[in-house]
Amino acid sequence: DVQLVESGGGSVAAGGSLSLSCAASGPRNRRYCMGWFRQDPGKERERVAAIHTLSDNTYYADSVKGRFTISTDYTKNTAYLKMDGLKPDDTAKYICATGPGPFCLEPARYDVWGQGTQVTVS
């Protein structure tokens, strides 16, 4: 089955930028949504951004609108998250996921999750 591997996390000063990648190994079949979520220990998983790979429609949480950009490569098997204007509140483990949707910001619509990559903003 498909697996997801994230990369690109790290530490950055407030106001800086980071780019995350999520590579899917194997066919995603009818999993049309690719999304990014984030989670801190002891907190609920929070939606960040998502893209529907058929329509290329993108969706963002209000907290990241205008600062983060989600995209995919031409194969639609790698998703990217460009994060600008980072704030300390953005500190979390960022987790990539893929699923059938159709509501691409709903965690329940995803059935394959990566391990996550840590982003720390100070």
Side-chain angles (χ1 to χ4, degrees), residues 35-36 44 47 56 90-91 93 95 107 110 114:
W36 288 95
E44 285 189 10
R47 63 194 70 174
D56 285 335
D90 295 318
T91 295
K93 177 184 281 190
I95 306 163
Y110 290 80

PDB file of all heavy atoms in Angstrom, residues 35-36 44 47 56 90-91 93 95 107 110 114:
ATOM      1  N   GLY A  35      -2.907  16.281   2.237  1.00  0.00           N
ATOM      2  CA  GLY A  35      -3.026  17.349   3.217  1.00  0.00           C
ATOM      3  C   GLY A  35      -1.900  17.351   4.219  1.00  0.00           C
ATOM      4  O   GLY A  35      -1.162  16.382   4.377  1.00  0.00           O
ATOM      5  N   TRP A  36      -1.786  18.476   4.873  1.00  0.00           N
ATOM      6  CA  TRP A  36      -0.843  18.655   5.977  1.00  0.00           C
ATOM      7  C   TRP A  36      -1.633  18.972   7.239  1.00  0.00           C
ATOM      8  O   TRP A  36      -2.526  19.828   7.218  1.00  0.00           O
ATOM      9  CB  TRP A  36       0.135  19.788   5.682  1.00  0.00           C
ATOM     10  CG  TRP A  36       1.147  19.455   4.638  1.00  0.00           C
ATOM     11  CD1 TRP A  36       1.076  19.732   3.306  1.00  0.00           C
ATOM     12  CD2 TRP A  36       2.391  18.784   4.842  1.00  0.00           C
ATOM     13  NE1 TRP A  36       2.205  19.268   2.659  1.00  0.00           N
ATOM     14  CE2 TRP A  36       3.027  18.682   3.579  1.00  0.00           C
ATOM     15  CE3 TRP A  36       3.036  18.251   5.946  1.00  0.00           C
ATOM     16  CZ2 TRP A  36       4.271  18.082   3.417  1.00  0.00           C
ATOM     17  CZ3 TRP A  36       4.275  17.657   5.786  1.00  0.00           C
ATOM     18  CH2 TRP A  36       4.882  17.574   4.542  1.00  0.00           C
ATOM     19  N   GLU A  44      -4.863  18.273  20.237  1.00  0.00           N
ATOM     20  CA  GLU A  44      -5.538  17.625  19.109  1.00  0.00           C
ATOM     21  C   GLU A  44      -4.808  17.921  17.809  1.00  0.00           C
ATOM     22  O   GLU A  44      -4.155  18.957  17.669  1.00  0.00           O
ATOM     23  CB  GLU A  44      -6.984  18.137  19.006  1.00  0.00           C
ATOM     24  CG  GLU A  44      -7.904  17.560  20.063  1.00  0.00           C
ATOM     25  CD  GLU A  44      -9.347  17.915  19.777  1.00  0.00           C
ATOM     26  OE1 GLU A  44      -9.656  18.439  18.698  1.00  0.00           O
ATOM     27  OE2 GLU A  44     -10.181  17.676  20.674  1.00  0.00           O
ATOM     28  N   ARG A  47      -5.771  20.829  11.497  1.00  0.00           N
ATOM     29  CA  ARG A  47      -5.649  20.918  10.047  1.00  0.00           C
ATOM     30  C   ARG A  47      -4.798  22.134   9.689  1.00  0.00           C
ATOM     31  O   ARG A  47      -4.847  23.161  10.362  1.00  0.00           O
ATOM     32  CB  ARG A  47      -7.025  21.033   9.412  1.00  0.00           C
ATOM     33  CG  ARG A  47      -7.780  22.284   9.805  1.00  0.00           C
ATOM     34  CD  ARG A  47      -9.226  22.212   9.455  1.00  0.00           C
ATOM     35  NE  ARG A  47      -9.953  21.273  10.275  1.00  0.00           N
ATOM     36  CZ  ARG A  47     -11.258  21.104  10.245  1.00  0.00           C
ATOM     37  NH1 ARG A  47     -11.973  21.786   9.391  1.00  0.00           N
ATOM     38  NH2 ARG A  47     -11.856  20.246  11.025  1.00  0.00           N
ATOM     39  N   ASP A  56      -7.166  20.477  -8.199  1.00  0.00           N
ATOM     40  CA  ASP A  56      -6.111  21.400  -7.737  1.00  0.00           C
ATOM     41  C   ASP A  56      -6.665  22.484  -6.816  1.00  0.00           C
ATOM     42  O   ASP A  56      -5.984  23.492  -6.559  1.00  0.00           O
ATOM     43  CB  ASP A  56      -5.359  22.041  -8.906  1.00  0.00           C
ATOM     44  CG  ASP A  56      -4.403  21.056  -9.564  1.00  0.00           C
ATOM     45  OD1 ASP A  56      -3.971  20.105  -8.886  1.00  0.00           O
ATOM     46  OD2 ASP A  56      -4.100  21.233 -10.758  1.00  0.00           O
ATOM     47  N   ASP A  90       3.415  28.241  15.336  1.00  0.00           N
ATOM     48  CA  ASP A  90       3.456  27.227  14.275  1.00  0.00           C
ATOM     49  C   ASP A  90       4.296  26.017  14.674  1.00  0.00           C
ATOM     50  O   ASP A  90       4.348  25.029  13.930  1.00  0.00           O
ATOM     51  CB  ASP A  90       4.022  27.827  12.988  1.00  0.00           C
ATOM     52  CG  ASP A  90       3.136  28.905  12.398  1.00  0.00           C
ATOM     53  OD1 ASP A  90       1.907  28.718  12.391  1.00  0.00           O
ATOM     54  OD2 ASP A  90       3.684  29.943  11.950  1.00  0.00           O
ATOM     55  N   THR A  91       4.958  26.093  15.816  1.00  0.00           N
ATOM     56  CA  THR A  91       5.774  24.973  16.281  1.00  0.00           C
ATOM     57  C   THR A  91       4.918  23.741  16.510  1.00  0.00           C
ATOM     58  O   THR A  91       3.914  23.797  17.231  1.00  0.00           O
ATOM     59  CB  THR A  91       6.501  25.347  17.586  1.00  0.00           C
ATOM     60  OG1 THR A  91       7.428  26.400  17.308  1.00  0.00           O
ATOM     61  CG2 THR A  91       7.248  24.151  18.165  1.00  0.00           C
ATOM     62  N   LYS A  93       4.694  19.097  15.252  1.00  0.00           N
ATOM     63  CA  LYS A  93       5.064  18.059  14.300  1.00  0.00           C
ATOM     64  C   LYS A  93       4.086  18.166  13.144  1.00  0.00           C
ATOM     65  O   LYS A  93       2.866  18.137  13.342  1.00  0.00           O
ATOM     66  CB  LYS A  93       4.976  16.667  14.925  1.00  0.00           C
ATOM     67  CG  LYS A  93       5.283  15.549  13.929  1.00  0.00           C
ATOM     68  CD  LYS A  93       5.106  14.180  14.527  1.00  0.00           C
ATOM     69  CE  LYS A  93       6.287  13.799  15.369  1.00  0.00           C
ATOM     70  NZ  LYS A  93       6.220  12.368  15.770  1.00  0.00           N
ATOM     71  N   ILE A  95       2.435  16.645   9.836  1.00  0.00           N
ATOM     72  CA  ILE A  95       2.147  15.295   9.369  1.00  0.00           C
ATOM     73  C   ILE A  95       1.420  15.365   8.040  1.00  0.00           C
ATOM     74  O   ILE A  95       0.428  16.088   7.908  1.00  0.00           O
ATOM     75  CB  ILE A  95       1.282  14.539  10.398  1.00  0.00           C
ATOM     76  CG1 ILE A  95       1.948  14.584  11.781  1.00  0.00           C
ATOM     77  CG2 ILE A  95       1.041  13.096   9.956  1.00  0.00           C
ATOM     78  CD1 ILE A  95       1.034  14.251  12.921  1.00  0.00           C
ATOM     79  N   PRO A 107      -9.778  15.525   8.877  1.00  0.00           N
ATOM     80  CA  PRO A 107      -8.872  14.407   9.152  1.00  0.00           C
ATOM     81  C   PRO A 107      -9.516  13.041   8.944  1.00  0.00           C
ATOM     82  O   PRO A 107      -8.849  12.088   8.547  1.00  0.00           O
ATOM     83  CB  PRO A 107      -8.480  14.615  10.622  1.00  0.00           C
ATOM     84  CG  PRO A 107      -8.651  16.075  10.855  1.00  0.00           C
ATOM     85  CD  PRO A 107      -9.811  16.488  10.000  1.00  0.00           C
ATOM     86  N   TYR A 110      -9.015  10.988   5.690  1.00  0.00           N
ATOM     87  CA  TYR A 110      -7.693  10.500   5.329  1.00  0.00           C
ATOM     88  C   TYR A 110      -7.458   9.133   5.955  1.00  0.00           C
ATOM     89  O   TYR A 110      -7.845   8.894   7.097  1.00  0.00           O
ATOM     90  CB  TYR A 110      -6.608  11.469   5.814  1.00  0.00           C
ATOM     91  CG  TYR A 110      -6.601  12.767   5.062  1.00  0.00           C
ATOM     92  CD1 TYR A 110      -7.507  13.772   5.364  1.00  0.00           C
ATOM     93  CD2 TYR A 110      -5.689  12.991   4.039  1.00  0.00           C
ATOM     94  CE1 TYR A 110      -7.504  14.962   4.663  1.00  0.00           C
ATOM     95  CE2 TYR A 110      -5.661  14.179   3.343  1.00  0.00           C
ATOM     96  CZ  TYR A 110      -6.583  15.161   3.654  1.00  0.00           C
ATOM     97  OH  TYR A 110      -6.582  16.336   2.949  1.00  0.00           O
ATOM     98  N   GLY A 114       1.700   9.940   7.314  1.00  0.00           N
ATOM     99  CA  GLY A 114       3.128   9.811   7.478  1.00  0.00           C
ATOM    100  C   GLY A 114       3.519   9.850   8.948  1.00  0.00           C
ATOM    101  O   GLY A 114       2.656   9.932   9.829  1.00  0.00           O
TER     102      GLY A 114
END
